[in-house]
Amino acid sequence: FSGNANGLAYNFTRTGISYQLNRVDKWKEEKDPKFGTMRKKIDQLTIYRVDMKWINANQNLSIKKGKALPGYENYYLEHCKNGALGVKNYEDLTFINIYPGINAKWYEKQGAMEFDLVVAPNSKPEQIKLEINGAQKLVVNDKGELVITTPLGTIIEKAPIAYQGQNTVVVKWKLNDNVASFQLGAYDHNAELIIDPVVRL
């Protein structure tokens, strides 16, 4: 699965997610063979990727697709001569039991990609660890945001929020070298816990 939000491309795998940033370095003009008009075409493109891998996660997890959106897309690629046709888009995507008792639900909200970590009662959120590869620099800034610096720009994982029903739970990003996790305050271990980071460019 893949998608775009707020100018950031992302690709999902069973072991994590990759963020992809693009920069057009050079354009060229060419004649449109159908209409005969001149058009701009990318001549040189730089692509940079950051990989975020779930450490010790369940690789045999199941994936639940949300509501299918109207329409579909067709892709014609050099390595896929017949094309990838009728590709559907979905409102959300949930990885079931990414860790025991923990689901990860991905969705777009107000132009940004967001994901909820849904921790079932009596499960262990301390299992959640993300190994971040490809960053030039990783810091948690004074706003509590996880800042991922790359040659093509900065990806920001906003300061997370956590809650149980109407009750807010204190949560912070925790960074150990290139491994990110969550530091939680007191909460009811017998109730469902939601941890909610937001990704921004």
Side-chain angles (χ1 to χ4, degrees):
F1 295 91
S2 63
N4 289 273
N6 198 30
L8 181 69
Y10 47 92
N11 298 284
F12 298 98
T13 71
R14 289 188 176 273
T15 58
I17 182 171
S18 295
Y19 297 144
Q20 183 175 296
L21 297 95
N22 303 316
R23 182 184 67 203
V24 177
D25 298 310
K26 188 178 178 184
W27 294 89
K28 67 179 179 181
E29 285 197 349
E30 66 174 17
K31 193 171 185 178
D32 188 309
K34 185 175 181 179
F35 299 102
T37 55
M38 297 303 291
R39 64 182 182 184
K40 275 190 172 183
K41 183 179 179 182
I42 294 173
D43 188 39
Q44 186 174 323
L45 180 70
T46 298
I47 298 172
Y48 196 86
R49 194 181 80 198
V50 174
D51 296 323
M52 301 181 72
K53 179 183 177 183
W54 303 102
I55 297 177
N56 298 323
N58 174 21
Q59 296 185 26
N60 295 315
L61 51 80
S62 60
I63 300 172
K64 179 183 176 183
K65 294 176 283 191
K67 181 182 176 182
L69 298 173
Y72 59 87
E73 296 183 38
N74 297 325
Y75 296 91
Y76 298 94
L77 307 169
E78 291 183 8
H79 62 277
C80 183
K81 294 181 180 179
N82 296 323
L85 309 178
V87 178
K88 299 292 292 183
N89 293 305
Y90 299 93
E91 285 186 347
D92 55 73
L93 190 66
T94 303
F95 285 38
I96 307 294
N97 280 327
I98 198 161
Y99 294 100
I102 300 175
N103 298 340
K105 181 178 180 180
W106 307 85
Y107 55 97
E108 185 179 346
K109 184 177 180 181
Q110 298 177 345
M113 188 182 66
E114 196 162 337
F115 70 99
D116 293 347
L117 292 160
V118 183
V119 182
N122 299 307
S123 297
K124 298 179 179 179
E126 60 269 20
Q127 299 172 94
I128 303 168
K129 293 181 189 296
L130 280 164
E131 181 181 87
I132 304 170
N133 294 306
Q136 287 182 315
K137 185 179 179 183
L138 277 172
V139 296
V140 176
N141 67 16
D142 55 7
K143 296 179 182 178
E145 300 167 327
L146 177 60
V147 181
I148 304 169
T149 303
T150 82
L152 300 191
T154 300
I155 301 168
I156 296 177
E157 301 270 5
K158 301 289 278 185
I161 60 173
Y163 53 91
Q164 294 183 297
Q166 299 299 316
N167 298 321
T168 300
V169 175
V170 174
V171 61
K172 297 178 181 179
W173 282 111
K174 183 180 177 182
L175 192 59
N176 184 8
D177 293 327
N178 68 327
V179 176
S181 58
F182 297 102
Q183 180 178 330
L184 287 157
Y187 68 96
D188 182 359
H189 291 253
N190 297 314
E192 181 181 80
L193 171 71
I194 308 288
I195 304 172
D196 182 8
V198 181
V199 183
R200 301 273 187 199
L201 266 179

